[in-house]
Amino acid sequence: MSDAIKHECGIALIRLRKPYQYYIDKYGTALYGANKLYLLMEKQVNRGQDGAGIANIKLDVPAGHRYISRYRSVDQRPVTDIFEKVNKKFRKALKGNKDKAKDAKWLQENIAFTGEVWMGHLRYGTHGANEIENCHPMLRQSNWRSRNLVVAGNFNMTNVEELFNKLVSLGQHPKDKVDTVTVMEKIGHFLDEENQRVFERFKGIYENPDLSDIIEDNIDLQRVLHRSCRDFDGGYAMVGMTGSGAAFVARDPAGIRPAYYYADDEVVVVASEKPAIKTAFNVDYSAIQEVKPGHALIVDKYGEYMEQEFVKPIEKKSCSFERIYFSRATDPDIYNERKTLGKLLIPQILEEIDYDLENTVFSYIPNTAETAFFGMVEGLEDYLAKQRKKAIMDGILFEEELDRVLSFRPRIEKLVAKDVKLRTFIADDSQRDDMVSHVYDTTFEVIKKGKDNVVVVDDSIVRGTTLEKSILRMLDRLGPKKIIIVSSAPQIRFPDCYGIDMSKFKEFIGFRAALELLRDRGQEDLLEEVYGQCVAAIESGNASKQNYVKAIFEPFTHDELSRKVAEIVTPADLKAEVAVIYQTVENLHKACPNHSGDWYFTGDYPTPGGNNVVNKAFVNFMEGKLVRAY
């Protein structure tokens, strides 16, 4: 993605189902759980580089010994930083105690991070400062094991204000009005109530300390999650642990955020992406299951697990950006979907170059668009195969012409390479843009000047800034007749409120194109009309019922918006003609049939809170407010 955006975070959970000594004996190390969590997190580091955190819970250690451990980091390489600290703890504790290195009981009583339940989190901060306090896991402590709660999540809630007010009405005094705090405290409140309910049920039958064990055995986490999450509006995949060693992973009712799990007789594992589980535990993809929307994978203190519904599932709208860009393409399904996205663009590309393949060079913007580029090349080969067949069937008799048709191949070059070492540190605005234009390197002398078309694939075009300031200028130096920028994603028109850092209308090149078209056609009154509708809906409490901003795009076709985007991003002094091609929403759904969440392209939000956010975001735009709408 040439316009970098922050996006959805990553989660990981490991439950060792056998005694700690088993893993030491079988795998020869007391760090089996830590090593596996490290792999799970490193293989998902694409999901969050602002910070990371881990937590670990020991089962059944004697009173007076620490049983919950947590590290968080906002270091430049936070995952490495955390696990280096864990390893340092082991080395320090075993210095002079080498004979205890494989004694599970001694290790658990003397060294942190020797527990059976592990949690990991990778943070991409869509808002808030990049500080340690904003890193998950979040910890809610108590002297009662079963009341301790550790939570991490890949989530954004659209109704934080409502959730905050509910906590206040319960008598709480939350320290901050953010979804991280409200989610933690909401679940914590109902976990406390569940503890009290079980206590009332068994008091008089059992005496302390036995009563504490009975409470831990009878906590109903499904009930806790139902009572906590039934009024959540947002996308979420949350992982939680109680101090007694029970754990859960809860997924939102529309399945917006991803969560996958694998279980055998040794472990239960959860991650945001399948390849992380595949790599860390070397299991077949077919053995990795998706946590169903509205369900929680619940693991009790004994390691038994079950997937249970905690809120009523609604129509599944899994995030399609996961497939286009966010998740790793090493997942075979995602790899094939991205190739299909590239292949489906062929008819539009051929039309734009007037079918002149002989004078067209194809390339891509590294590195995330590479897979879509492979699919586009396959599509070109399919087209050429049909053309060869047609030529033969039509009876081309001249050997020279037949040789040309049979031997022709599309011209493919790596025109763009990103120079990751270059830093645009210059403060002077007039010089900074020139520096930005050199972040990418180009391959010279492969373009026939004034004659060739250049087709470059990107996976999405969000703001268009990098196109205008860098990529188009760079490609223009090669001397092409025409530059065609191809996006494997459709036009981004609406904000995201479920985790992607795309919350303001003014940032979207697709929205800017609609504004300019309205001005060109003298239809600017539509902006005031929609603004009035949004304000009235917000004031009446009905903003969640309809996305009024869709009307801004209704006067224009897909192609009209694409042409206007091309105009906007083309620098005035550019010599080459510029065109922009976007994927269609219809083809997106063909390529990714099981991930139909497309609200950023269509405005069809999967929850009422989405409509509320988009209407507020438009009001903010019209009033010049540079704030998030949720």
Side-chain angles (χ1 to χ4, degrees):
M1 185 179 287
S2 53
D3 290 323
I5 59 172
K6 293 184 176 181
H7 55 88
E8 306 183 357
C9 302
I11 58 170
L13 175 77
I14 299 174
R15 172 58 157 91
L16 304 181
R17 302 185 70 195
K18 293 184 180 293
Y20 188 52
Q21 187 68 53
Y22 170 89
Y23 302 92
I24 297 173
D25 295 340
K26 180 172 180 178
Y27 297 104
T29 175
L31 289 166
Y32 174 80
N35 292 340
K36 292 299 186 183
L37 186 66
Y38 172 73
L39 271 176
L40 280 181
M41 294 178 71
E42 275 294 344
K43 291 302 178 181
Q44 297 184 100
V45 79
N46 54 296
R47 303 190 68 83
Q49 296 163 21
D50 291 340
I54 68 170
N56 178 244
I57 289 178
K58 302 175 187 177
L59 303 177
D60 301 324
V61 294
H65 291 77
R66 182 180 293 274
Y67 60 95
I68 301 178
S69 303
R70 176 179 64 156
Y71 272 154
R72 296 177 293 176
S73 175
V74 289
D75 187 79
Q76 280 194 330
R77 297 178 63 201
V79 176
T80 300
D81 180 49
I82 286 170
F83 285 94
E84 281 180 351
K85 288 178 180 176
V86 171
N87 277 274
K88 187 177 179 181
K89 269 191 175 293
F90 271 79
R91 290 194 301 270
K92 185 177 179 181
L94 290 172
K95 193 174 182 180
N97 294 290
K98 290 184 179 179
D99 60 317
K100 303 293 187 182
K102 295 190 177 181
D103 183 340
K105 185 175 185 296
W106 185 89
L107 291 167
Q108 291 197 305
E109 290 182 4
N110 290 277
I111 308 180
F113 299 102
T114 52
E116 295 88 344
V117 194
W118 291 85
M119 173 192 292
H121 184 264
L122 296 139
R123 179 177 188 261
Y124 247 141
T126 54
H127 69 288
N130 193 29
E131 299 171 347
I132 200 81
E133 287 304 310
N134 290 327
C135 283
H136 300 196
M138 313 303 287
L139 177 59
R140 193 175 191 264
Q141 293 182 288
S142 169
N143 248 11
W144 300 83
R145 280 194 312 193
S146 55
R147 289 176 183 258
N148 281 281
L149 179 65
V150 192
V151 171
N154 172 11
F155 59 75
N156 264 9
M157 300 300 167
T158 68
N159 61 335
V160 173
E161 186 86 24
E162 176 192 341
L163 297 174
F164 177 86
N165 291 336
K166 287 194 176 185
L167 289 176
V168 173
S169 71
L170 291 170
Q172 292 193 19
H173 193 94
K175 64 181 181 181
D176 206 349
K177 193 183 289 187
V178 294
D179 52 10
T180 308
V181 172
T182 52
V183 166
M184 161 68 80
E185 294 303 331
K186 193 95 185 304
I187 298 173
H189 170 78
F190 286 108
L191 180 61
D192 284 345
E193 285 206 348
E194 179 67 9
N195 272 269
Q196 189 62 33
R197 182 184 72 85
V198 179
F199 170 78
E200 295 292 341
R201 177 183 169 192
F202 289 104
K203 73 175 181 178
I205 303 174
Y206 297 92
E207 298 293 329
N208 283 326
D210 292 340
L211 183 54
S212 293
D213 292 330
I214 296 298
I215 291 171
E216 291 176 4
D217 288 345
N218 286 275
I219 293 290
D220 186 345
L221 281 180
Q222 180 191 24
R223 187 172 189 270
V224 172
L225 290 170
H226 171 70
R227 299 182 75 202
S228 307
C229 305
R230 58 190 169 187
D231 51 4
F232 286 0
D233 188 301
Y236 56 86
M238 296 182 297
V239 56
M241 307 185 296
T242 70
S244 56
F248 64 83
V249 176
R251 193 175 182 207
D252 67 82
I256 296 169
R257 296 301 183 80
Y260 300 92
Y261 73 95
Y262 164 77
D264 60 26
D265 62 341
E266 291 187 0
V267 292
V268 178
V269 188
V270 180
S272 296
E273 297 188 25
K274 282 184 179 182
I277 299 174
K278 165 71 176 174
T279 300
F281 291 89
N282 192 28
V283 297
D284 292 338
Y285 272 104
S286 59
I288 303 170
Q289 306 297 312
E290 184 177 10
V291 178
K292 293 192 285 290
H295 286 66
L297 182 71
I298 296 174
V299 188
D300 68 20
K301 63 178 286 188
Y302 300 105
E304 298 302 317
Y305 65 94
M306 181 181 298
E307 199 173 357
Q308 295 179 300
E309 181 182 307
F310 68 97
V311 290
K312 193 71 178 173
I314 58 177
E315 184 182 0
K316 189 179 180 189
K317 290 286 183 179
S318 299
C319 174
S320 58
F321 250 123
E322 285 282 353
R323 320 303 280 186
I324 298 166
Y325 170 66
F326 296 146
S327 292
R328 288 188 181 227
T330 48
D331 182 314
D333 292 333
I334 293 174
Y335 182 79
N336 288 323
E337 287 168 16
R338 290 183 187 174
K339 285 183 71 176
T340 303
L341 285 169
K343 190 177 291 190
L344 289 170
L345 288 160
I346 290 301
Q348 292 169 265
I349 293 170
L350 290 172
E351 187 174 341
E352 192 63 52
I353 64 172
D354 198 24
Y355 296 85
D356 184 8
L357 290 175
E358 190 171 336
N359 296 304
T360 301
V361 173
F362 296 89
S363 192
Y364 64 95
I365 294 174
N367 289 321
T368 54
E370 186 174 17
T371 310
F373 174 75
F374 290 155
M376 182 191 71
V377 171
E378 280 190 14
L380 287 170
E381 294 286 5
D382 290 346
Y383 167 77
L384 287 170
K386 290 176 183 175
Q387 293 301 108
R388 293 183 192 108
K389 182 178 178 180
K390 183 177 183 299
I392 293 169
M393 296 295 289
D394 287 349
I396 292 179
L397 299 177
F398 300 105
E399 185 176 341
E400 183 179 334
E401 179 67 9
L402 186 58
D403 283 344
R404 190 189 71 80
V405 169
L406 292 176
S407 63
F408 182 80
R409 293 290 181 273
R411 294 168 62 195
I412 297 165
E413 304 288 352
K414 187 169 183 179
L415 296 178
V416 182
K418 194 166 187 177
D419 187 349
V420 295
K421 297 184 180 127
L422 191 64
R423 296 287 181 267
T424 54
F425 55 86
I426 294 177
D428 182 352
D429 286 347
S430 64
Q431 295 296 307
R432 187 187 299 116
D433 284 353
D434 182 59
M435 289 294 289
V436 168
S437 71
H438 294 291
V439 168
Y440 290 93
D441 283 335
T442 49
T443 305
F444 290 95
E445 307 305 327
V446 294
I447 301 298
K448 292 179 285 187
K449 290 181 171 57
K451 190 172 183 180
D452 278 345
N453 303 306
V454 169
V455 175
V456 178
V457 179
D458 197 355
D459 46 35
S460 61
I461 304 169
V462 185
R463 304 179 184 96
T465 310
T466 311
L467 281 179
E468 181 180 1
K469 295 184 180 299
S470 178
I471 293 168
L472 287 173
R473 291 182 181 279
M474 173 193 70
L475 293 172
D476 195 50
R477 294 190 191 109
L478 303 178
K481 178 181 70 175
K482 186 174 185 178
I483 302 169
I484 299 105
I485 303 295
V486 182
S487 169
S488 67
Q491 298 160 352
I492 297 170
R493 302 180 178 185
F494 301 94
D496 183 79
C497 52
Y498 304 119
I500 306 172
D501 185 19
M502 301 192 304
S503 57
K504 304 178 188 75
F505 269 109
K506 68 182 289 293
E507 296 176 342
F508 306 139
I509 187 69
F511 180 72
R512 288 167 55 199
L515 294 184
E516 293 208 9
L517 285 168
L518 288 173
R519 294 189 188 104
D520 291 347
R521 300 181 186 186
Q523 295 178 287
E524 291 174 277
D525 288 350
L526 182 58
L527 295 173
E528 292 297 333
E529 182 183 329
V530 172
Y531 172 64
Q533 290 174 326
C534 291
V535 170
I538 292 167
E539 290 176 350
S540 64
N542 292 317
S544 62
K545 293 183 177 178
Q546 181 179 338
N547 177 358
Y548 294 98
V549 191
K550 283 185 176 184
I552 299 295
F553 296 92
E554 285 173 0
F556 315 116
T557 66
H558 173 95
D559 291 341
E560 286 172 334
L561 282 162
S562 296
R563 286 195 292 271
K564 181 55 73 172
V565 167
E567 284 181 33
I568 293 171
V569 299
T570 303
D573 57 347
L574 210 74
K575 297 183 182 66
E577 181 187 350
V578 174
V580 174
I581 293 173
Y582 281 97
Q583 185 71 262
T584 65
V585 173
E586 294 75 19
N587 280 344
L588 170 68
H589 292 318
K590 284 181 186 176
C592 311
N594 299 317
H595 289 73
S596 59
D598 61 4
W599 51 91
Y600 8 74
F601 312 126
T602 64
D604 296 332
Y605 289 89
T607 73
N611 289 331
N612 193 45
V613 166
V614 70
N615 293 324
K616 282 186 178 179
F618 185 73
V619 170
N620 288 343
F621 167 77
M622 292 294 287
E623 296 177 357
K625 296 177 181 176
L626 301 177
V627 295
R628 295 193 325 152
Y630 59 97

